[in-house]
């Protein structure tokens, strides 16, 4: 039986936090790889992209296998890979070992995220659990951003923070269910409905996420090299920006579809484009902080509406799975794309290119949102027992 709505499944929240921490720490991770190892900025960005691509690949491979393997077993495998991978990358200065460790750790993070997402989908109030997870990872990432600058130079501190988080979460996996009977994958069944709209949304969100993470992957370098800020000051800006993201999610949840979806998606993306230009062209604290905080405030708001659109396209959730996977691919490619653009054209031109790309992408995304609004696609509640196990122990950790 499920726990009451008032009970938060803390083991899942902790697993979500451990899985999502690596992308949240991407700017400081890439920046420290650049400064602490014999790597160029582009090479450091490529390692960040490889880490996230490894994480995304875990989601593609394991999303339909959690019930078959068992949430507890798979979570422990993922957390062990994260501890060993990130720990190795943090402790060694040999670049090949750092790369292999980042790949292994990234796959472990993706595995943990996959198990957490599967369990969260089984909750009576998935949005509330997801919000708790976002609160946890944002608070932890903010603490790391405030702490790392005071721990000395080197590439290992952010990677060690991710490894230690995975190690701390590992004991909580005892509350997760063991192997259950194999369930039908969300991607099984008849042909996907609204195929054209779904493909357009998936491709658009891939590019949208690529643009967002292209900025996020080099934001630390913008603050340090162009705005001439200290690492401690940049860490404070990022911590405040992550807090702004939580505020944005709270507001989006309270407002819901009251004003439709086309306006938040289209207008929100256009404003984000302006924030990216502002942040990428920053040469002082005020401009840098304004761009980063405003961007982090709006980014999760728009994303929540896009994921909502995907859910409306297919009540069985298949488009939500595919659109989310496309977003993960775009996120993985972001650090390398941002590093290449910045190296070739500079941060300011990079920001303009990303902003123009977002304005173009906003057109088909808004068109899909308008079509969904006109056709009033039905939202059907699917019993959670048909897709995920219901044996998660949600007692207090």
């Amino acid at each position: 039986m499920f726990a009451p709505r008032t009970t938060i499944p803390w083991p899942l929240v902790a697993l979500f936090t451990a899985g999502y921490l690596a992308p949240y720490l991407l700017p400081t991770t890439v920046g420290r790889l650049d400064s602490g190892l014999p790597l160029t900025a582009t090479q450091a960005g490529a390692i960040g992209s490889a880490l996230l691509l490894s994480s995304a690949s875990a989601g593609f491979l394991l999303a339909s296998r959690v019930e078959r393997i068992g949430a507890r077993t798979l979570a422990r495998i993922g957390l062990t890979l994260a501890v060993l991978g990130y720990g190795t990358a943090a402790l060694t200065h040999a670049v090949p070992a750092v790369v292999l460790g980042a790949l292994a750790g990234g796959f472990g993070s993706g595995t943990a995220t996959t198990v957490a997402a599967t369990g969260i989908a089984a909750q009576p109030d998935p949005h509330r659990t997801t919000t708790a997870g976002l609160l946890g990872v944002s608070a932890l990432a903010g603490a790391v951003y405030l702490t790392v600058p005071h721990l000395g130079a080197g590439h290992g501190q952010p990677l060690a923070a991710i490894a230690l988080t995975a190690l701390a979460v590992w004991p909580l996996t005892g509350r997760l269910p063991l192997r259950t009977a194999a369930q039908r994958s969300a991607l099984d069944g008849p042909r996907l409905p609204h195929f054209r709209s779904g493909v357009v949304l998936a491709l658009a969100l891939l590019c949208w996420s690529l643009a967002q993470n292209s900025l996020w992957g080099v934001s630390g370098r913008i603050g340090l090299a162009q705005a001439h800020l200290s690492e401690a000051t940049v860490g404070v800006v990022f911590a405040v920006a992550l807090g702004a993201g939580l505020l944005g999610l709270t507001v989006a949840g309270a407002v819901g579809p009251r004003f439709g979806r086309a306006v938040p998606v289209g207008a929100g993306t256009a404003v984000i484009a302006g924030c990216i230009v502002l942040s990428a062209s920053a040469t002082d604290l005020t401009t840098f902080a304004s761009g980063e905080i405003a961007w982090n405030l709006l980014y999760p708001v728009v994303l929540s509406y896009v994921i909502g659109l995907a859910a409306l396209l297919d009540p069985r959730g298949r488009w939500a799975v595919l659109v989310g996977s496309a977003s993960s691919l775009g996120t993985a490619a972001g650090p390398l794309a941002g590093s290449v653009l910045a190296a070739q054209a500079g941060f300011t031109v990079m920001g303009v290119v990303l902003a123009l790309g977002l304005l173009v992408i906003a057109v088909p995304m808004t068109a899909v949102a308008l079509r969904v609004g006109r056709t009033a696609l039905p939202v059907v509640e699917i019993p959670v027992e048909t897709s995920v196990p219901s044996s998660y122990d949600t007692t207090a950790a």
Side-chain angles (χ1 to χ4, degrees):
M1 295 295 291
F2 290 112
R5 290 180 62 89
T6 56
T7 302
I8 294 178
W10 293 112
L12 291 177
V13 171
L15 196 62
F16 182 98
T17 299
Y20 262 81
L21 186 60
Y24 270 67
L25 295 183
L26 187 66
T28 189
T29 300
V30 171
R32 290 226 163 197
L33 288 173
D34 179 18
S35 63
L37 295 174
L39 297 169
T40 66
T42 300
Q43 289 170 336
I47 294 176
S49 286
L51 186 160
L52 294 180
L53 182 60
S54 180
S55 182
S57 68
F60 280 111
L61 292 173
L62 301 174
S64 63
R65 294 177 171 86
V66 175
E67 294 83 13
R68 190 185 314 159
I69 299 173
R72 185 186 303 175
T73 300
L74 202 55
R76 287 177 172 176
I77 292 172
L79 293 175
T80 300
L81 281 173
V83 172
L84 295 178
Y86 293 124
T88 299
L91 294 174
T92 183
H93 285 79
V95 173
V98 171
V99 173
L100 291 176
L103 290 174
F107 195 88
S109 290
T111 302
T113 300
T114 300
V115 176
T118 302
I120 288 172
Q123 301 304 306
D125 191 350
H127 181 266
R128 183 166 178 260
T129 305
T130 301
T131 301
L134 287 170
L135 175 62
V137 70
S138 296
L140 181 57
V144 173
Y145 277 118
L146 293 174
T147 303
V148 162
H150 304 289
L151 299 180
H155 74 285
Q157 288 88 339
L159 296 167
I162 306 171
L164 290 174
T165 299
L167 184 63
V169 169
W170 202 94
L172 300 180
T173 58
R175 300 180 183 276
L176 301 177
L178 292 169
R179 180 179 176 181
T180 60
Q183 303 287 341
R184 183 175 61 183
S185 168
L187 300 181
D188 295 338
R191 184 178 183 272
L192 286 165
H194 309 287
F195 187 79
R196 183 180 302 176
S197 295
V199 169
V200 168
L201 194 61
L203 292 176
L205 190 59
L206 187 155
C207 298
W208 189 88
S209 296
L210 187 151
Q212 310 294 331
N213 233 45
S214 292
L215 175 66
W216 187 237
V218 300
S219 286
R221 284 160 48 203
I222 293 173
L224 294 172
Q226 184 171 277
H228 307 293
L229 306 175
S230 68
E231 187 180 18
T233 302
V234 171
V236 171
V237 171
F238 286 160
V240 174
L242 291 173
L246 289 175
L247 175 62
L249 279 171
T250 302
V251 173
V255 173
R258 189 173 304 168
F259 302 105
R261 294 177 175 83
V263 171
V265 170
T269 297
V271 177
I272 285 174
C275 294
I276 287 179
V277 171
L278 182 64
S279 182
S281 62
T283 57
D284 55 48
L285 174 59
T286 301
T287 307
F288 179 73
S290 298
E292 290 289 326
I293 293 171
W295 172 57
N296 276 278
L297 174 69
L298 292 170
Y299 163 77
V301 174
V302 177
L303 182 61
S304 68
Y305 282 100
V306 175
I307 296 301
L309 283 176
L312 287 176
L313 291 173
D314 177 24
R316 291 186 58 203
R318 290 172 292 177
W319 276 124
V321 171
L322 292 172
V323 169
S325 298
S327 176
S328 296
L329 288 179
T331 297
L336 179 59
S339 294
V340 170
L341 277 172
Q344 296 297 320
F347 294 123
T348 300
V349 175
M350 177 205 72
V352 172
V353 171
L354 294 177
L356 291 175
L358 280 176
L359 292 176
V360 172
I361 295 165
V363 175
M365 294 173 71
T366 304
V368 173
L370 289 172
R371 180 184 179 278
V372 170
R374 286 198 306 269
T375 55
L377 300 177
V379 179
V380 179
E381 294 293 333
I382 304 175
V384 292
E385 292 88 347
T386 63
S387 57
V388 291
S390 59
S391 53
Y392 285 89
D393 182 355
T394 58
T395 56

